[in-house]
Amino acid sequence: MDRLVKADVKEVVVLFEKCNENCSATFKLTNLMHAMAVAVSLTTTNPSSPFSIDIPFSTIPPLSSSTYTLSLFHNGTPLVSTAPEAIVVITSMLLAGKSHDYDDLRRLFLKPGPHVFHDAVIPVSIVGPDFAEFLISNHVPRSRSLLNKAISRCLPSQLTDLLTYAVECGNAESVAVLIDAGADSNSKDSNGRSLVPLAIQAGNEMEVVKVLLASGCVIENKVDLVLHEAAAANRVDLMRLLLEFLGEDDDADVDSVNHEGRTPIHVAALHGYVDVIRYCVSMGGNPNVADRKGWTPLHCAASEGQLGSVESLLWECGCHAKRAVDREGKTAFAVAMENGHVELGDLLHWGDVLFRAARLGDMHGMASCLTVGGANVNGRDQNGWTALHWAALKGKVKSVEVLLDNGADIDPVDEYGCTPLGCAVESGHLQVALFLVARGSRASLDKSKAFKGLVAPPKLFDSFGRLNKTCVT
């Protein structure tokens, strides 16, 4: 049998608005019968649906129409089912002249049989920017198809606003859907910056950035400062991607500066991101650039107490970086002390002073470093040497004694196997060598190295190049 009723729409579209707790849409059903009334039952496909129909059971006279309202009640968050939502239209013919109340109609449709027809299924869609926002910010099943439907009634400006929101949420799939629908991927914020720095700031996955770049999003690094943003996010992978994208452009520069005159290395130093520092230097970045305050990256790291950054920068820059002063004449050490980061004192100053005092035999200077400055008696310089190595090399017995009395390791080894005892022997300082042995040095000496430039009588050493301890007595 043909249909008994006909809907005036192919789809019921509900505009979702957060500020409106009852969002609704109307539709009409027309009785196609010329001589008989039609009973109508309206339900939704999802039993737990947030939708309701104002007249679930009704009677439509011959060739007449009735209007129905589908309402979506919510508290600001729409409930979205995993299956598509629809209105099921069930009908039955009524005998002419017989009236039916609500209960009669309900009982009529409770009884299955040939008198009941499944007349139509009318799809239901929720649209509007508010609903699109909900889909973007939540992991909703079928979100791609739902989002395409939700934005079908949005204006171009609304699509672009939604794109910005999707970038902030890190929803790469939604970003792609919105760009395909006409959102402007080259929209700028009030500062003229593109969507790429926004994606990085939000801590999003790389996929969002990739989608934006693939869509033709234009980056102006002098404005967008994407390398600075990636450095602040500790994202070496993003920096690599962005540098490849920028290619040979003038903007593709790891030494580009922001309004403070700081490079991405400054930014990484402030946050303690050692991998970013190393990557930037490997790409030709200069770790000694001074900003508008005269601060180098080392000053920045010192100001925040970033031990890892300080160690990395000293490795990359060398000890001369410690002597750089800002516009107020302050070294990184002074900045660290002003900010209470005394734990950096040894690396930035006291260690150097201790090495110098040990080399010169300056007892007062050594005492100041070890007691007042808190210098690490076993700290190492860029060569891997401790203060004891230097004191032994220079033949400063008093320095050796003070260092040992303050807890210095007696046999520290550098990367080439050199010990303080080896330094003393190679430089011909027998008194220091004998003193170290007397204090318990167990270091063995490589004869081929130990006797290079040796001034000491050979009888002090055995055939293996070790000190003859019988000579110590």
Side-chain angles (χ1 to χ4, degrees):
M1 186 177 193
D2 292 334
R3 295 165 59 187
L4 301 181
V5 298
K6 179 181 179 181
D8 67 334
V9 293
K10 293 183 178 181
E11 181 181 44
V12 176
V13 178
V14 178
L15 175 64
F16 175 77
E17 297 175 306
K18 287 186 290 188
C19 61
N20 183 3
E21 293 184 356
N22 180 12
C23 303
S24 61
T26 61
F27 62 98
K28 288 183 180 181
L29 293 178
T30 299
N31 183 354
L32 300 176
M33 305 296 291
H34 288 72
M36 299 187 70
V38 174
V40 178
S41 167
L42 300 176
T43 58
T44 55
T45 52
N46 181 13
S48 60
S49 172
F51 291 100
S52 64
I53 301 171
D54 61 338
I55 310 174
F57 300 104
S58 62
T59 301
I60 306 177
L63 299 178
S64 298
S65 298
S66 292
T67 300
Y68 303 88
T69 300
L70 177 71
S71 296
L72 171 62
F73 293 94
H74 65 88
N75 59 357
T77 303
L79 297 175
V80 181
S81 65
T82 57
E85 195 71 64
I87 299 170
V88 179
V89 182
I90 302 176
T91 59
S92 180
M93 291 184 292
L94 296 175
L95 295 176
K98 185 175 181 181
S99 62
H100 289 77
D101 61 17
Y102 182 89
D103 289 334
D104 288 337
L105 293 175
R106 184 174 60 83
R107 284 191 293 270
L108 173 67
F109 288 107
L110 284 175
K111 297 178 181 179
H115 64 288
V116 175
F117 303 95
H118 284 268
D119 206 300
V121 176
I122 309 172
V124 175
S125 295
I126 308 175
V127 301
D130 286 351
F131 184 55
E133 277 193 11
F134 170 77
L135 296 173
I136 290 168
S137 60
N138 294 274
H139 296 286
V140 178
R142 304 186 296 118
S143 60
R144 190 179 188 95
S145 59
L146 288 172
L147 181 59
N148 270 310
K149 182 63 69 174
I151 62 179
S152 62
R153 306 291 179 91
C154 289
L155 300 172
S157 60
Q158 292 174 320
L159 290 175
T160 300
D161 289 343
L162 287 169
L163 175 61
T164 301
Y165 184 68
V167 170
E168 289 176 341
C169 293
N171 192 327
E173 184 178 44
S174 295
V175 169
V177 169
L178 289 161
I179 291 174
D180 288 343
D184 183 8
S185 62
N186 273 308
S187 63
K188 309 290 185 183
D189 65 12
S190 58
N191 295 315
R193 305 183 79 192
S194 75
L195 292 171
V196 174
L198 178 63
I200 300 171
Q201 288 170 5
N204 298 328
E205 296 298 326
M206 186 184 288
E207 288 306 311
V208 176
V209 176
K210 286 183 176 179
V211 171
L212 290 171
L213 297 181
S215 72
C217 182
V218 177
I219 296 175
E220 295 181 47
N221 191 43
K222 292 178 181 177
V223 178
D224 292 328
L225 297 172
V226 289
L227 297 179
H228 289 74
E229 297 291 355
N234 196 22
R235 295 294 297 270
V236 171
D237 55 343
L238 275 176
M239 296 189 79
R240 187 177 293 110
L241 172 69
L242 291 165
L243 284 171
E244 290 176 359
F245 178 78
L246 292 169
E248 300 299 324
D249 293 349
D250 292 338
D251 284 349
D253 184 3
V254 290
D255 281 336
S256 58
V257 297
N258 60 14
H259 66 281
E260 296 177 300
R262 292 181 174 177
T263 68
I265 298 179
H266 282 90
V267 175
L270 280 167
H271 290 86
Y273 298 149
V274 174
D275 288 342
V276 175
I277 294 172
R278 291 172 178 165
Y279 175 72
C280 289
V281 173
S282 73
M283 296 302 292
N286 182 357
N288 290 307
V289 172
D291 66 11
R292 292 186 178 178
K293 292 170 58 177
W295 277 22
T296 65
L298 189 62
H299 283 87
C300 291
S303 71
E304 295 296 323
Q306 300 292 358
L307 176 61
S309 291
V310 169
E311 291 176 333
S312 179
L313 289 165
L314 289 177
W315 175 262
E316 299 291 352
C317 305
C319 289
H320 66 276
K322 302 177 188 179
R323 297 190 288 273
V325 295
D326 64 11
R327 295 191 183 282
E328 296 180 0
K330 297 176 183 176
T331 62
F333 169 76
V335 172
M337 296 303 104
E338 282 184 359
N339 288 276
H341 302 302
V342 293
E343 70 279 4
L344 298 180
D346 179 58
L347 271 175
L348 293 173
H349 178 66
W350 293 117
D352 293 340
V353 175
L354 178 62
F355 285 125
R356 183 174 183 276
R359 291 195 301 268
L360 297 177
D362 180 0
M363 299 299 104
H364 177 72
M366 293 176 66
S368 296
C369 293
L370 294 169
T371 59
V372 180
N376 179 5
V377 71
N378 291 307
R380 295 177 181 265
D381 63 13
Q382 68 272 21
N383 301 307
W385 278 24
T386 65
L388 190 60
H389 280 91
W390 285 108
L393 181 73
K394 295 297 183 180
K396 304 299 181 182
V397 177
K398 287 294 184 182
S399 293
V400 170
E401 183 177 8
V402 170
L403 291 168
L404 292 176
D405 288 346
N406 279 274
D409 293 338
I410 196 168
D411 290 321
V413 181
D414 71 5
E415 60 180 310
Y416 300 107
C418 183
T419 63
L421 179 57
C423 290
V425 171
E426 287 197 33
S427 56
H429 297 302
L430 301 183
Q431 186 180 6
V432 173
L434 294 173
F435 183 80
L436 286 168
V437 172
R439 290 292 294 262
S441 175
R442 302 295 180 187
S444 61
L445 301 175
D446 183 330
K447 188 173 181 180
S448 62
K449 293 180 180 180
F451 286 106
K452 183 179 180 181
L454 182 66
V455 180
K459 66 181 182 180
L460 290 176
F461 302 92
D462 62 21
S463 59
F464 296 100
R466 292 189 295 259
L467 270 170
N468 185 348
K469 290 189 178 182
T470 59
C471 298
V472 178
T473 56

